[in-house]
Amino acid sequence: MTKKALIVGASGIVGSATAKVLADDGWQIWGLARKPQAQSNVEPVAADLLDPASLEKALAGLDPSHVFISSWLRQPTEAENIRVNSAMVRNLLDALRPAGSVRHVALVTGLKHYLGPFEAYGKGSLPQTPFREEQGRLEIDNFYYAQEDEVFAAAARDGFAWSVHRPHTIVGKAVGNAMNMGTTLAVYASICKQSGRPLRFPGVDMQWNGLTDMTDATLLGRHLLWAATTPAAANQDFNVVNGDVFRWKWMWGRIADWFGVEAAPFDGTVQPLETQMANDASIWAEIAQKHGLAEPDIDRLVSPWHTDADLGRPIEVVTDMAKSRRLGFLDYQPTDDAFFTLFEQLRADRLIP
């Protein structure tokens, strides 16, 4: 089998983890981004997905057998999300068409497939949990659906196989990422420890007491590799989560203990991270200077709005993995260990004290 991968969004949480998984499996890897970062075993490709001419030039001479798409641009409205993010996928696949080398395209979306876009997140008529792939689409506009349709159309036209991967909230490392709960909580806990503040759960009672699950970035990378190289997984959509379930009232104490900080009792009062961390930029800059950290700009590390959205959902969110299990993907990752591994990596990379 030809093992040449083009990863779109290679420096993000999903892309960087997938690059490591593929490199360990002996793949040749190109990493496409507007401003590629240096990555081990990844050849950088600089291009703008919204500029067909730059894509055509950047991809000339490349012959990837597999394409992994894990990139998107957040827009102020869902209509703009649809226009921009579907164009990115369409432009990419159009630019790859002349080489005729692509055999499989993997698209990473997420559970907003079942929960709805940010404008209507967790509202209205939602499918029952655990979410299952056969529940299909909501009757509402969603840029995930538009991205899927671009992949389906190009696959029908050009004859490659596809897979769609729907993780829950992803635990993994990336700087400058807009959806990064793990690093957000690590920075928040570090600030609490340094300033003597208690670690206050920012979400709602449903998330504190209800069951939930998450997705480790490395497990997702292994799932992408599995689907791209398993014939029975071709042309399928998949949920992908760690395999365990937990309640935040348990996980919150585990995180507090790891950082050696007090976990404040949760009394049902919602205290969003955006509010709690509104004035923390200067505090973080002081912490970074004191400890010689690599990133003093808190906005490059945290995304409180995204963590608030996840922990503020009014419904229990758990995800069924039976489809992948039946086809042979049996990997499992305890979510608390995923958090702790991330925290250790952030500390080793001098991103937290």
Side-chain angles (χ1 to χ4, degrees), residues 160-183:
F160 56 75
W162 54 266
S163 57
V164 174
H165 304 255
R166 299 180 188 132
H168 197 172
T169 304
I170 299 170
V171 180
K173 180 201 164 191
V175 175
N177 190 278
M179 298 169 65
N180 193 339
M181 179 188 283
T183 303

Side-chain angles (χ1 to χ4, degrees), residues 189-269:
S190 298
I191 290 172
C192 288
K193 183 174 183 178
Q194 297 289 320
S195 61
R197 287 154 49 182
L199 194 74
R200 296 190 180 279
F201 183 69
V204 299
D205 184 82
M206 173 59 76
Q207 295 307 310
W208 181 254
N209 288 304
L211 290 172
T212 193
D213 50 27
M214 294 185 73
T215 305
D216 177 71
T218 299
L219 180 137
L220 175 54
R222 294 197 296 265
H223 192 262
L224 286 160
L225 172 58
W226 165 79
T229 57
T230 301
N235 305 325
Q236 299 288 336
D237 53 353
F238 295 106
N239 299 328
V240 50
V241 288
N242 289 337
D244 64 345
V245 294
F246 64 91
R247 303 181 200 276
W248 273 105
K249 67 180 179 181
W250 174 80
M251 185 68 77
W252 200 248
R254 298 277 286 159
I255 291 173
D257 288 346
W258 196 93
F259 282 95
V261 65
E262 176 192 358
F266 178 65
D267 63 3
T269 303

Side-chain angles (χ1 to χ4, degrees), residues 7-316:
I7 301 177
V8 181
S11 60
I13 290 179
V14 177
S16 59
T18 301
K20 187 176 187 312
V21 169
L22 295 180
D24 289 346
D25 195 53
W27 288 61
Q28 178 182 352
I29 305 167
W30 294 284
L32 188 150
R34 281 176 296 175
K35 297 179 180 179
Q37 300 178 12
Q39 292 175 265
S40 178
N41 300 309
V42 177
E43 182 179 341
V45 177
D48 184 346
L49 291 170
L50 292 173
D51 182 349
S54 87
L55 274 172
E56 181 179 355
K57 180 178 180 181
L59 296 175
L62 273 60
D63 59 343
S65 56
H66 294 69
V67 180
F68 301 88
I69 304 173
S70 61
S71 180
W72 71 290
L73 289 175
R74 189 184 183 197
Q75 304 300 311
T77 67
E78 192 60 19
E80 278 297 290
N81 273 328
I82 290 170
R83 184 185 68 81
V84 169
N85 289 285
S86 62
M88 289 165 57
V89 174
R90 181 171 61 254
N91 292 342
L92 171 71
L93 298 180
D94 283 349
L96 288 168
R97 186 184 188 189
S101 62
V102 176
R103 296 172 50 200
H104 189 101
V105 172
L107 173 68
V108 179
T109 60
L111 294 195
K112 286 190 292 296
H113 182 94
Y114 308 106
L115 288 162
F118 286 120
E119 289 181 1
Y121 193 50
K123 301 175 183 177
S125 178
L126 301 175
Q128 290 185 343
T129 57
F131 293 138
R132 293 182 171 87
E133 294 88 348
E134 63 264 24
Q135 289 169 323
R137 297 179 174 183
L138 302 175
E139 294 183 3
I140 187 172
D141 291 338
N142 189 322
F143 83 85
Y144 283 170
Y145 307 161
Q147 287 185 312
E148 287 181 349
D149 288 342
E150 293 294 344
V151 171
F152 300 158
R157 178 193 69 193
D158 298 336
F160 56 75
W162 54 266
S163 57
V164 174
H165 304 255
R166 299 180 188 132
H168 197 172
T169 304
I170 299 170
V171 180
K173 180 201 164 191
V175 175
N177 190 278
M179 298 169 65
N180 193 339
M181 179 188 283
T183 303
T184 297
L185 293 180
V187 170
Y188 171 57
S190 298
I191 290 172
C192 288
K193 183 174 183 178
Q194 297 289 320
S195 61
R197 287 154 49 182
L199 194 74
R200 296 190 180 279
F201 183 69
V204 299
D205 184 82
M206 173 59 76
Q207 295 307 310
W208 181 254
N209 288 304
L211 290 172
T212 193
D213 50 27
M214 294 185 73
T215 305
D216 177 71
T218 299
L219 180 137
L220 175 54
R222 294 197 296 265
H223 192 262
L224 286 160
L225 172 58
W226 165 79
T229 57
T230 301
N235 305 325
Q236 299 288 336
D237 53 353
F238 295 106
N239 299 328
V240 50
V241 288
N242 289 337
D244 64 345
V245 294
F246 64 91
R247 303 181 200 276
W248 273 105
K249 67 180 179 181
W250 174 80
M251 185 68 77
W252 200 248
R254 298 277 286 159
I255 291 173
D257 288 346
W258 196 93
F259 282 95
V261 65
E262 176 192 358
F266 178 65
D267 63 3
T269 303
V270 180
Q271 301 185 57
L273 272 188
E274 275 202 300
T275 301
Q276 292 192 53
M277 302 184 72
N279 300 312
D280 282 349
S282 60
I283 297 173
W284 182 253
E286 293 173 3
I287 292 172
Q289 183 177 21
K290 177 182 177 181
H291 294 277
L293 301 183
E295 183 52 76
D297 183 356
I298 196 171
D299 292 330
R300 293 270 298 156
L301 296 172
V302 304
S303 51
W305 65 270
H306 177 256
T307 298
D308 286 340
D310 275 7
L311 299 183
R313 292 182 298 217
I315 61 171
E316 186 175 83

